[in-house]
Amino acid sequence: MADTFIPTPALHRWVDQLWLAAGSSADEARLTADHLVGANLAGHDSHGVGMVPRYVKSWLADELQLNRHVAVTSDTGTMLSLDAQRGMGQSLAFEAMQLAIERAKQHGVCVMGLKNAHHIGRIGHWAEQAVAAGMVSLHFVNAMSVPVVAPFRGSQARYVTNPFTVGIPVPGREPLLLDFATSAIAMGKVRVAYNSGKKVPGQMLMDAQGDYTDDPAALFPAAGQPGGALVPFAQHKGYALAMVVEVLAAALTGGETTRPGNLKYQHAVWNNMLALVFDPARLGDQQLFGAEVRDFVDWVQSARLRDAAEPILMPGDPERASRRARAERMPIDAGTMAELDAAAAAVNQARGSALVALSSLAA
Ligand code: NAD
């Protein structure tokens, strides 16, 4: 079925109002809408408003907690350990990054650990917050929910899609932004394919027997049935990166790894994050740095193209192009729209509110 288009500002208002109706503060509702719609704008529907139904289920099950703030568990100036107290990831990660950025401005660098956040979504958003303040930032994030990624040489899922992200502000040109899952495909993209009735080609999924499949339904088994698994990207390399991401993001921050004994929740996705934020100006001359990057990018992009229709891009370029294309209206697939309408109805039932169905706002 064809996508439905919703005017982008109306989509933002709808998400904002949904969380206000659920009981979020004005700041929390706005930050949540900014982030989720921002992920759709960046072209990552996997981490956009399509997550709202899961967040609503998590909130109704008393897993996601609204209106929490970060608690500082340890503070040595340049090293901060923060507990998100099971709060809304979008507002808690924003607060945590604000603290880390302040420290990096003051001391030049901050190593920040954030544990027990509800899903913090598109990690590139947090790197962009640092980049907007002139900071370089690196992010290692583990996700705590039912494992969906098999280790290299394994055929059963053992961990989640553990993203790795780097944001680099470059004087005189657009920032570089690397931001990806360490699985061959992000789980949310499998959900989007499943909701839109599409296949996932390219040996990125295994069924419950460990055989490759292109059917995203393998990752959405019937209750009580074993599920399949995603494979790591780039074979042993993606797997090895995911391992160090899990250990840095979770074990080191005092968060939890995806061992069975830690999986106590039904709907929530929890994230733990280690972020390194630093001021590049304290490492050297920023004008020289900008000029060097510009010349290097020119050199890289001078390579002969394999296909004239596909130019050589820089990390961050696809997201910028998507923002331009989606500024006015956002495509929502039929499965996701039905789930979003059901989520609004569930909030109305729980809170006696009168949210309209998102589908009624179709342009
Ligand atoms: P992806 O495969 O779409 O890769 C995106 C990255 O690759 C971006 O940095 C993009 O700029 C860059 N890129 C894309 N095409 C390029 C090209 N031709 N040349 C150069 N660079 C290019 O990303 P993904 O793995 O699907 O991840 C999607 C999102 O999912 C990310 O934002 C990630 O943070 C998020 N995620 C979150 C969680 C969580 O638990 N919160 C877990 C996994 C992933």
Side-chain angles (χ1 to χ4, degrees):
M1 201 187 288
D3 289 348
T4 302
F5 286 87
I6 304 288
T8 304
L11 180 64
H12 186 281
R13 269 195 305 279
W14 186 86
V15 176
D16 189 13
Q17 283 164 3
L18 182 139
W19 290 107
L20 285 172
S24 284
S25 67
D27 278 350
E28 180 167 281
R30 180 183 43 78
L31 288 167
T32 305
D34 286 353
H35 181 276
L36 294 176
V37 177
N40 290 111
L41 276 167
H44 295 288
D45 294 339
S46 51
H47 291 71
V49 300
M51 289 305 293
V52 167
R54 184 150 184 189
Y55 292 10
V56 167
K57 283 185 185 153
S58 177
W59 162 67
L60 288 172
D62 201 26
E63 296 178 357
L64 161 62
Q65 306 296 316
L66 303 185
N67 300 318
R68 291 277 162 96
H69 295 280
V70 288
V72 179
T73 53
S74 156
D75 179 357
T76 65
T78 54
M79 312 232 355
L80 269 179
S81 195
L82 306 173
D83 189 336
Q85 308 193 81
R86 313 257 167 227
M88 180 71 91
Q90 282 66 22
S91 58
L92 273 295
F94 178 82
E95 280 184 14
M97 286 304 298
Q98 260 188 329
L99 286 173
I101 291 164
E102 275 167 25
R103 295 303 173 87
K105 282 185 178 165
Q106 199 180 345
H107 302 293
V109 63
C110 178
V111 180
M112 182 270 283
L114 177 69
K115 66 180 177 183
N116 300 329
H118 198 260
H119 192 238
I120 63 174
R122 176 180 167 260
I123 310 306
H125 191 89
W126 312 119
E128 283 160 1
Q129 188 179 341
V131 164
M135 300 292 147
V136 173
S137 72
L138 287 80
H139 305 253
F140 305 86
V141 176
N142 93 317
M144 271 282 299
S145 70
V146 176
V148 289
V149 185
F152 180 62
R153 297 182 172 172
S155 64
Q156 285 180 306
R158 284 292 179 267
Y159 59 93
V160 187
T161 51
N162 293 2
F164 173 62
T165 302
V166 182
I168 309 174
V170 183
R173 51 163 291 127
E174 300 282 16
L176 298 174
L177 192 87
L178 176 163
D179 173 34
F180 51 57
T182 48
S183 48
I185 179 169
M187 183 58 201
K189 288 183 177 160
V190 182
R191 186 196 74 235
V192 171
Y194 180 65
N195 282 344
S196 18
K198 294 186 180 144
K199 298 286 182 201
V200 178
Q203 300 200 331
M204 295 195 279
L205 312 180
M206 288 187 284
D207 63 20
Q209 287 69 47
D211 295 320
Y212 289 120
T213 175
D214 60 5
D215 185 356
L219 273 294
F220 298 90
Q225 296 301 308
L230 316 183
V231 303
F233 84 84
Q235 304 200 17
H236 60 285
K237 300 182 192 186
Y239 161 60
L241 180 57
M243 284 300 293
V244 298
V245 168
E246 180 94 11
V247 168
L248 290 174
L252 197 65
T253 62
E256 293 170 326
T257 61
T258 46
R259 290 185 299 106
N262 290 336
L263 300 171
K264 299 178 282 267
Y265 297 85
Q266 199 186 348
H267 300 291
V269 184
W270 306 110
N271 279 138
N272 301 291
M273 172 166 76
L274 183 78
L276 276 63
V277 182
F278 65 89
D279 181 358
R282 304 214 192 180
L283 274 180
D285 185 308
Q286 284 295 285
Q287 294 319 313
L288 286 178
F289 166 56
E292 189 63 31
V293 174
R294 187 192 59 228
D295 291 351
F296 180 61
V297 169
D298 286 349
W299 159 242
V300 169
Q301 292 188 320
S302 71
R304 189 170 57 242
L305 296 181
R306 290 170 58 85
D307 176 343
E310 294 193 324
I312 295 167
L313 304 178
M314 288 297 128
D317 284 346
E319 287 74 16
R320 282 185 279 274
S322 175
R323 279 185 197 114
R324 288 190 290 274
R326 292 180 158 192
E328 307 265 311
R329 55 185 209 144
M330 196 73 76
I332 308 278
D333 68 71
T336 302
M337 186 68 87
E339 288 184 0
L340 287 165
D341 285 351
V347 174
N348 285 340
Q349 194 180 9
R351 300 279 296 178
S353 49
L355 294 162
V356 299
L358 181 65
S359 52
S360 71
L361 304 178

